Amino acid sequence: MARDSSATKARLLDAAFTEFATYGIAGARVDRIAEAAQANKRLIYVYYGNKEQLFDAVLQRALETGSESVAFDVDDLPGYAGAVFDHLVERPALMRLVLWKQLERPGSTDAESSSYEGKIAAVRTAQEAGRIDAAVPAADVLTLVMGLSQAWFGAMGGPAAGAADTGWAAERLAEHRAAVVESVRRITAPRPAAGA
C-alpha cells in the first residue's frame, strides 16, 4: 500500500502547531511532534528541513488559513476587526503561536510583510478617497486594527481573563468584541471637513 505523503504532512503540521503553540520554538521537541503525528521523526527533516523550517511552515499555514477565513475589507475595518476577533476565539492556540513567534523571532516574515503591504496600500487608497480618516498613517491604522483585535488574547490576567481561567462567559465575550469593533470604528471614521 502506498503511503499518503500529503496526509502525513498535514498530521505533522497539525502536531507541530500544537507543540509550537504550547512550547515555542526553543521548547518544542521533534520527537513529540513525530509521536503526536504518528509519523517517523525522519520525515520532519525530509519534508521540512529542520525544526525552525517546520515552524515557518506551521506559521505560513496559519497565515493562509487566517487569510482564507477572514477576508480583509478596507471599507469595513470594524467588521474585519470583529472577524479577526472571532477567528481568535475559535482558535485560541493561534494567538499563543503568534506570541511565541514574536518572542523568539521578532520581525516579519516575507509572507507577513507582503500581506501587510497590500493591506496598508488599500488603507492608504481609502484614506486618499476620504473613506477612512487620514489623520493617522495607513500603517498605523492597520497596526491599531490588528492590535485591538488581538489585545484581549494577550492581556495576561487582564480584563479578558475569565474567573480562574475558566474561559469567558458568552456575554463578556460579546462585550469584548463590541469594544473592539467600536474602537476601530472610531479610529477609522472619516472626519467631517473643516467648516462642514
Side-chain angles (χ1 to χ4, degrees), residues 5-90:
S5 66
S6 61
T8 302
K9 287 179 181 180
R11 286 195 321 271
L12 285 168
L13 288 174
D14 289 342
F17 177 92
T18 300
E19 181 77 6
F20 288 128
T22 303
Y23 300 104
I25 301 169
R29 297 291 172 257
V30 173
D31 291 338
R32 285 193 300 243
I33 294 169
E35 183 180 334
Q38 299 178 333
N40 186 314
K41 174 177 147 179
R42 182 181 64 79
L43 292 176
I44 291 173
Y45 300 103
V46 169
Y47 294 143
Y48 301 103
N50 59 38
K51 184 170 71 168
E52 288 74 21
Q53 290 170 313
L54 176 59
F55 180 83
D56 291 341
V58 167
L59 188 61
Q60 180 63 34
R61 183 183 189 210
L63 288 171
E64 289 169 0
T65 300
S67 292
E68 291 168 6
S69 299
V70 182
F72 181 73
D73 183 354
V74 74
D75 290 316
D76 184 14
L77 290 178
Y80 174 71
V84 170
F85 182 90
D86 294 342
H87 183 73
L88 293 172
V89 166
E90 293 171 12

Side-chain angles (χ1 to χ4, degrees), residues 113-134:
S113 293
S114 176
S115 173
Y116 296 144
E117 288 169 8
K119 291 174 178 139
I120 290 167
V123 170
R124 188 175 298 114
T125 299
Q127 287 176 317
E128 291 167 356
R131 298 189 319 268
I132 294 177
D133 182 11

Side-chain angles (χ1 to χ4, degrees), residues 78 81 148 175-188:
L148 286 165
E175 290 171 3
H176 296 326
R177 186 184 193 285
V180 168
V181 170
E182 178 60 18
S183 297
V184 171
R185 187 194 65 73
R186 288 180 185 203
I187 290 168
T188 60

Side-chain angles (χ1 to χ4, degrees), residues 84-155:
V84 170
F85 182 90
D86 294 342
H87 183 73
L88 293 172
V89 166
E90 293 171 12
R91 295 160 191 82
L94 179 57
M95 196 64 212
R96 287 194 311 272
L97 181 75
V98 169
L99 291 171
W100 279 115
K101 191 266 182 200
Q102 290 173 341
L103 285 170
E104 296 184 292
R105 282 205 182 148
S108 296
T109 64
D110 290 342
E112 289 171 310
S113 293
S114 176
S115 173
Y116 296 144
E117 288 169 8
K119 291 174 178 139
I120 290 167
V123 170
R124 188 175 298 114
T125 299
Q127 287 176 317
E128 291 167 356
R131 298 189 319 268
I132 294 177
D133 182 11
V136 177
D140 293 347
V141 168
L142 182 61
T143 300
L144 289 167
V145 169
M146 296 307 297
L148 286 165
S149 300
Q150 298 170 6
W152 296 102
F153 304 94

Side-chain angles (χ1 to χ4, degrees), residues 154-170:
M156 300 291 287
D165 293 328
T166 58
W168 300 334

